[in-house]
Amino acid sequence: MSKKKLVFSGVQPTGNLHLGNYLGALKNFVSLQKNAECIYCVVDLHAITVFQDPGHLHDNVLETTASFLATGLDPDKSIIFNQSSVSGHAELAWILNCVSRVGWLNRMTQFKDKAGSDKEKASVGLYIYPNLMAADILLYKATHVPVGADQKQHLELSRDIAQKFNNDFNCKDFFPLPEPLIPKNISRIMSLRDGTKKMSKSEESDYSRINLKDTADEIIKKIKKAKSDSETIPDDAKLLKNKPEALNLLNIYSEITKNSLEKTISEMAGEDYSYLKTKLAEVLIDEITPVGKETQKLLKDKPYLKKVLKKGSEKANIIAEENLKNIREKVGLI
Ligand code: AQP
């Protein structure tokens, strides 16, 4: 078995990318492309597990691609493509649907969160979403998957599916067990309105998140309105245990300024949260608005974005077809 590091990850084209996607995933994608073979996918088949307006979906695929490039992904270094253009994802997903167990899927917390109280009305696709995610990764025999902490459970399931496939078809080490690469300091960016919920594209209030496309004024307004705490910033991180919104803002500031939470706290102890908010808005504007501007610029050249995706899908398809040939053989398909 090849021991080469092969990175795969995906982002759903379900609307505005936000600070959570950026700090939890995209920044990591960019740093990994320096030293590893990387495949980054706009996972449009995942997006349709919840109804998407077809026109919006089409635009969102291009916008997500533009954001990939604007954050620094280089199509000459990484393979960048959209999932539905490589049919192997859907084919392997079906095979893995037959390997994965209903009991395993029943434990997935993201399905419970997204399906809400009326699970009977959720799409079957939403339920088997983690099997498609396993297929995305295993189609390329990826060894490492950069994701935010919210995807850890799905990644563990991918490992279980890979292991069961290897056992069922008597092919030890055929699929590598993919390792999650989760940012160490801050793996889950929380909503600006509710520090117990993750920042998310589908959250109704736009004030809950910083979008990569937000202007400086919007960032200032959102950070000003963000929930924090009426007391001053404490001198010990332990005192933030029951103050998730305050902790979230301090965590984001620390991550962007590349400092530890402890250092930020020691510098800001005794200050009001308005002081943190002013500093946070400043660093966010410096970090985020250039990405937004570049995304808008790239979106003016849609033929170029389509060309990037086409070239990426041709490269991805070659790897996928080669692996699928062996997978079909293992399963006994002619
Ligand atoms: N809040 C977050 N903190 C850290 N990482 C996050 N990611 C998403 N939200 C956060 C990471 O971003 C990558 C792409 O995620 P995705 O858009 O494909 O799916 P998601 O996790 O379902 O993101 P959203 O924003 O919550 O989308 P919707 O609302 O459409 O479901 C993943 O690596 C994810 O971990």
Side-chain angles (χ1 to χ4, degrees), residues 22 26-27 29-31 33-34 40 65-78 80 291 294-295 298:
Y22 179 74
L26 288 172
K27 267 191 107 170
F29 291 5
V30 175
S31 65
Q33 75 178 350
K34 287 183 206 131
Y40 296 123
T65 309
S67 296
F68 274 11
L69 302 181
T71 44
L73 288 185
D74 177 349
D76 290 328
K77 288 191 187 140
S78 298
I80 297 170
V291 177
E294 184 61 17
T295 302
L298 286 160

Side-chain angles (χ1 to χ4, degrees), residues 185-186 188 246-256 261:
N185 299 328
I186 182 167
R188 196 187 287 258
L247 177 62
N248 188 39
L249 295 180
L250 285 159
N251 266 331
I252 296 172
Y253 182 79
S254 308
E255 185 64 17
I256 304 264
L261 177 65

Side-chain angles (χ1 to χ4, degrees), residues 69-303:
L69 302 181
T71 44
L73 288 185
D74 177 349
D76 290 328
K77 288 191 187 140
S78 298
I79 297 179
I80 297 170
F81 72 107
N82 60 312
Q83 190 183 24
S84 61
S85 66
V86 176
S87 59
H89 288 258
E91 182 178 343
L92 183 55
W94 181 258
I95 294 173
L96 298 184
N97 281 340
C98 304
V99 174
S100 179
R101 304 287 94 181
V102 170
W104 296 353
L105 289 177
N106 283 344
R107 286 198 288 275
M108 296 297 112
T109 56
Q110 193 181 78
F111 175 73
K112 290 178 193 156
D113 291 345
K114 289 202 171 176
S117 52
D118 199 353
K119 292 186 184 45
E120 299 285 314
K121 286 208 172 129
S123 74
V124 175
L126 188 65
Y127 181 63
I128 57 174
Y129 176 117
N131 294 345
L132 176 59
M133 179 165 158
D136 299 335
I137 299 164
L138 300 178
L139 185 58
Y140 302 97
K141 297 193 170 186
T143 57
H144 293 80
V145 184
V147 280
D150 59 308
Q151 291 299 328
K152 189 162 178 262
Q153 193 186 34
H154 287 167
L155 208 58
E156 277 159 8
L157 184 83
S158 297
R159 291 169 62 89
D160 290 343
I161 292 173
Q163 182 78 70
K164 185 162 170 13
F165 184 101
N166 292 349
N167 290 342
D168 287 357
F169 298 104
N170 206 10
C171 49
K172 191 170 177 281
D173 294 338
F174 178 74
F175 282 131
L177 305 190
E179 301 272 349
L181 295 174
I182 297 176
K184 277 199 191 72
N185 299 328
I186 182 167
S187 54
R188 196 187 287 258
I189 307 292
M190 309 312 279
S191 156
L192 300 178
R193 310 296 286 162
D194 177 351
T196 62
K197 283 193 190 157
K198 74 164 185 160
M199 188 176 281
S200 156
K201 298 181 214 119
S202 50
E203 170 64 47
E204 216 173 295
S205 168
D206 199 47
Y207 279 96
S208 67
R209 62 185 160 259
I210 301 291
N211 301 311
L212 297 188
K213 273 193 324 197
D214 282 346
T215 61
D217 283 349
E218 283 165 334
I219 292 175
I220 292 169
K221 223 193 282 171
K222 287 180 178 181
I223 295 298
K224 249 191 199 154
K225 274 193 170 249
K227 249 178 126 177
S228 57
D229 193 43
S230 53
E231 290 174 17
T232 55
I233 298 172
D235 57 6
D236 184 347
K238 285 194 202 98
L239 299 170
L240 292 162
K241 212 174 129 218
N242 298 318
K243 301 179 185 228
E245 289 87 11
L247 177 62
N248 188 39
L249 295 180
L250 285 159
N251 266 331
I252 296 172
Y253 182 79
S254 308
E255 185 64 17
I256 304 264
T257 56
K258 298 190 177 73
N259 281 321
S260 65
L261 177 65
E262 287 67 29
K263 181 151 187 277
T264 301
I265 285 181
S266 75
E267 279 171 13
M268 295 199 179
E271 299 283 359
D272 286 335
Y273 279 90
S274 58
Y275 174 79
L276 165 66
K277 285 182 172 186
T278 307
K279 304 272 261 178
L280 179 57
E282 275 167 23
V283 294
L284 280 173
I285 289 167
D286 284 351
E287 177 100 13
I288 297 300
T289 53
V291 177
K293 283 182 191 151
E294 184 61 17
T295 302
Q296 299 296 5
K297 200 173 116 196
L298 286 160
L299 275 172
K300 291 199 178 111
D301 192 353
K302 296 207 165 96

